[in-house]
Amino acid sequence: MPHFEDFYAAKLRGSLGVTDAESVLDLRGVNRPTAEASLADMLERSRFGKGKTVAIRLDPPPEGGGETLFQPAGRLLLDAKRKGLVDRLQTLPAGDGLGFYVALTGKAARSSDG
């Protein structure tokens, strides 16, 4: 069996999902201010620990359409990626529902940069 680096193995497996993540942040049933506070807390704590992967689960759109946490959470995570707190950001595969797969950079990886 050939050996593939994690990045290429993930490409062969398809999208990374809930079962691939080291932990899950379940924000289903949570209001927007609480969800944003939970994400901010996760990102802040990640600055002081080792990098890890997190699956963030969100509610699907309500019946008949409506607002979800997908866009505000995505903006917050994209901003964290620009700041170097997130190494990888992608949506969860359809079978896992609405949400994101996030690889947090952690302290060790960033400390060599600055």
Side-chain angles (χ1 to χ4, degrees), residues 56-107:
I56 301 168
R57 302 188 87 177
L58 304 171
D59 283 323
E63 197 68 32
E67 195 171 301
T68 68
L69 292 174
F70 187 81
Q71 197 171 38
R75 282 190 194 122
L76 190 71
L77 293 168
L78 191 55
D79 186 49
K81 184 169 174 54
R82 286 187 198 114
K83 292 178 181 176
L85 299 173
V86 172
D87 186 42
R88 182 179 188 154
L89 173 62
Q90 66 185 59
T91 57
L92 290 176
D96 285 349
L98 192 62
F100 297 97
Y101 179 90
V102 178
L104 299 167
T105 305
K107 180 181 179 181

